Amino acid sequence: MLTARIAVVASGGGTNLQALIDAQGRGELKSGSIALVIADKAGIGAIERAQAAGINWVLAVRREPDFEEKVLSALLEHTIDMVVLAGFLGIFSADLLRRFGKPMINIHPALIPSFCGRGFYGLRVHQAALDYGVKVTGATVHYVNEVADGGEIILQKAVDVLPGDTPELLQRRVMEQAEWVLLPQAAELVAAGIVKEKENTL
Ligand code: GAR
């Protein structure tokens, strides 16, 4: 069966990468196969998860000047059809997006357009939601374009904020109830579209 070759880019623990790996194992992510993991820092959990699952991985250090060149050559070398940003804490340049020229999606741990854009990543997003006092937050999967967290929304899911929440508690609830569910679903949706296109060009 034709599948879309997926590269996952991660900066941290990799629980969203794990959700994708698990969804693939259960057959829920079936139109796409995870062909490559790109880690932007040495020693992160995402590398261990890729190794444990037997997935190819490469290191491209985000703080180094050749970061985007390394990312792009890995994507081309592994003939990647789509990219999933799963806890990637950087922002790709418009130049990289244009040169890759294929779908890229991102998971953001809030309901866009709230608490998003430059400076809103990881725990900072949940801190901002608590500071504002919202009673509902959630997660969003969207296409990546040249505007940080600005691309078309694919899926969103709401999660309650509870009395006594800390950024860590809220992050965990948003991950469990929204991110780990939404990201594999959105990856499957986009991958299915790519497969359809491939079939039409056969
Ligand atoms: C996740 O909550 C993800 O939504 C967030 O970073 C965390 C990474 O966790 N991403 C962003 O904030 C992007 N702006 P993980 O490494 O365990 O998947």
Side-chain angles (χ1 to χ4, degrees):
M1 197 189 113
L2 269 180
T3 55
R5 291 174 59 76
I6 300 175
V8 179
V9 186
S11 306
T15 65
N16 279 289
L17 164 64
Q18 191 65 51
L20 290 163
I21 294 169
D22 294 346
Q24 182 169 298
R26 290 192 302 269
E28 291 165 16
L29 174 55
K30 55 180 188 299
S31 306
S33 55
I34 308 168
L36 179 67
V37 170
I38 300 179
D40 74 359
K41 221 166 115 182
I44 60 174
I47 297 175
E48 269 171 48
R49 293 178 193 273
Q51 283 172 338
I55 299 168
N56 283 317
W57 64 276
V58 294
L59 176 65
V61 179
R62 181 157 36 104
R63 310 247 170 244
E64 291 182 356
D66 63 347
F67 170 62
E68 289 201 341
E69 289 306 321
K70 273 199 177 156
V71 169
L72 193 63
S73 39
L75 296 178
L76 298 178
E77 192 179 313
H78 291 264
T79 56
I80 295 302
D81 297 307
M82 65 178 275
V83 168
V84 178
L85 305 183
F88 172 56
L89 301 186
I91 296 174
F92 283 128
S93 70
D95 181 59
L96 178 126
L97 300 179
R98 189 182 45 76
R99 288 165 73 196
F100 175 54
K102 291 178 180 171
M104 189 179 291
I105 67 174
N106 177 50
I107 178 100
H108 182 72
L111 294 174
I112 290 174
S114 292
F115 313 118
C116 65
R118 276 185 187 273
F120 287 97
Y121 56 85
L123 281 174
R124 289 172 182 229
V125 177
H126 304 291
Q127 183 67 62
L130 292 175
D131 289 347
Y132 200 95
V134 292
K135 303 301 174 205
V136 174
T137 184
T140 304
V141 184
H142 62 92
Y143 284 104
V144 175
N145 66 8
E146 63 292 342
V147 179
D149 296 325
E152 184 192 338
I153 290 173
I154 304 168
L155 293 175
Q156 284 188 307
K157 193 166 189 288
V159 174
D160 287 335
V161 179
L162 299 180
D165 266 350
T166 60
E168 290 79 9
L169 281 172
L170 185 55
Q171 179 183 53
R172 184 76 194 177
R173 188 177 315 112
V174 168
M175 283 176 159
E176 285 175 355
Q177 294 185 9
E179 296 187 43
W180 301 340
V181 182
L182 281 194
L183 189 59
Q185 282 178 355
E188 173 58 24
L189 273 174
V190 174
I194 292 172
V195 167
K196 226 180 217 167
E197 261 179 40
K198 283 193 183 189
E199 284 167 351
N200 288 340
T201 54
L202 282 182

